[in-house]
Amino acid sequence: MIARTEPDLHEVDPEIEALMRKEDARQRDSLRLIASENYASRAVLTATAGSLTNKYAEGYPGKRYYEGMDFIDPIESIAIARARQLFAAEHANVQPYSGSPANLAALLALCQPGDTIMGLSLPAGGHLTHGWKVSATGIYYKAVQYGVRRDDNRIDMDEVRSLAREHRPKLIWVGHSAYPRVLDFPAFAAIAQEVGAYLAADIAHIAGLVAGGAHPSPVPHADVVTTTTHKTLRGPRGGLILCKAAHAAAIDKAVFPGLQGGPHNHVTAAKAVAFKEALAPSFTTYAHQIVANARALAEVLIGRGFRLVTGGTDNHLMLVDLSPRELSGRKIAHVLNGCGIELNANSIPFDPRKPFDPSGLRVGLAAITSRGLVTEHMGTVGELIADAIEVAAAGGDPARCAAIRGRVAEFLAPFAAPGL
Ligand code: DSN
């Protein structure tokens, strides 16, 4: 037997190892409220860390361009079967590297360059890849963007319908990165059907809520559904495409060889683990708890005098509007980070400020719900956020920030951070 002499990470690269441990501690001690983030479980993290990263596997199970697929094929087949079961989907492709490649694959499968596509505009809460002008999806396709109403900041289905009738898009996106209300998938499907468009739902933010039954599913209504796997779904950093059987061949061809080379097998394995976790009854409880926590936190923040975009939330996120006080979202978010409260500045609809320094703060509940926080804790969470905003608005005094950071760490100490 050969003696194991291989050095560990802390011996090979103590600099990187130390930074990784510091990031662990930072995630443990911070109130993590970035709406697109979560804590993956130890099982998910373990799956990403093994020998599967060493293997090439271009192609699909049973039809590969490499030898040595004895274990990669069953892993990917299990991931596909679990994704289909979780979302009641006719077909699943588990290979997309993340959400943006998944969205590009949907477009490559269903549209030609130059075709008209429609999506929610970025300033109204949409995603870059739904046709925003600086994205490839706004450069290679003729993008028409719908928005939200000025009075209640909700998606204006009348506008969606009239733009669709006028522009006859090949594909309509429904989905968002910063919209706090339920998406009306049947209404989008009716409009798409009327104008002969494909309907593509991007559920990256809400996939965990959909899987857990805390948000309606687009799967019965959309031709294609894309998602990341690492947000509310609580899996590894990656992507997933679900579609009708009629689009399966086109989607698979678009992912590989259309856009990607070898799938990241270690991430595929971790996706399979995450789908198994999401199929457990406890995940349904988790998904509903996220929404209950978000609603409870929204009430606390409203009680502290903050305006929320649309007046509240139906999902995992809310947007705090700082424009009545003419505060810089970027500066406030930066000071909050120093207080141990991690969230991001975000544009609000009709924002008077620029996108790089907008008027909103986006607050998401998925990560802290994974730590076991429930509605009774949202009073404290809201007070910490509101107090920190006041400290930030008054100039961000370091001693006052340190005091809040101490309160945050003390408050979070009893709640174990999954995976860390
Ligand atoms: N950037 C991600 C988010 O934070 O919502 C979406 O891609």
Side-chain angles (χ1 to χ4, degrees), residues 34-37 98-100 126-129 176-178 202 204-205 228 230-231 237 317 344 346 362:
I34 290 181
S36 47
E37 295 184 354
S98 200
S100 295
H127 191 256
L128 282 166
T129 55
H176 61 79
S177 281
D202 176 347
H205 266 263
T228 51
H230 50 267
K231 298 188 176 86
R237 186 157 293 273
L317 69 83
N344 66 288
N346 211 98
R362 189 178 65 161

Side-chain angles (χ1 to χ4, degrees), residues 51-173:
S51 63
L52 298 172
T53 197
N54 298 336
K55 196 76 196 89
Y56 254 107
E58 284 179 1
Y60 289 99
K63 200 175 168 198
R64 305 282 193 182
Y65 290 79
Y66 292 84
E67 292 303 319
M69 292 297 124
D70 312 47
F71 310 111
I72 302 292
D73 271 5
I75 286 170
E76 186 168 332
S77 297
I78 289 168
I80 291 167
R82 288 179 184 166
R84 288 185 55 205
Q85 185 186 349
L86 184 61
F87 291 102
E90 292 175 14
H91 180 72
N93 186 308
V94 297
Q95 293 193 4
Y97 298 146
S98 200
S100 295
N103 288 353
L104 284 176
L107 291 170
L108 185 62
L110 300 178
C111 299
Q112 295 298 317
D115 279 349
T116 299
I117 62 169
M118 270 177 60
L120 180 64
S121 76
L122 191 67
H127 191 256
L128 282 166
T129 55
H130 299 176
W132 191 241
K133 53 198 169 206
V134 297
S135 153
T137 60
I139 295 168
Y140 294 113
Y141 300 92
K142 190 170 158 240
V144 175
Q145 302 270 272
Y146 56 89
V148 294
R149 284 188 293 258
R150 193 174 271 276
D151 56 355
D152 63 1
N153 296 162
R154 294 189 184 231
I155 291 173
D156 183 348
M157 294 309 297
D158 292 335
E159 184 196 19
V160 176
R161 188 178 305 101
S162 76
L163 285 172
R165 284 176 179 165
E166 182 186 345
H167 296 282
R168 313 296 294 186
K170 187 80 175 284
L171 179 145
I172 299 175
W173 282 109

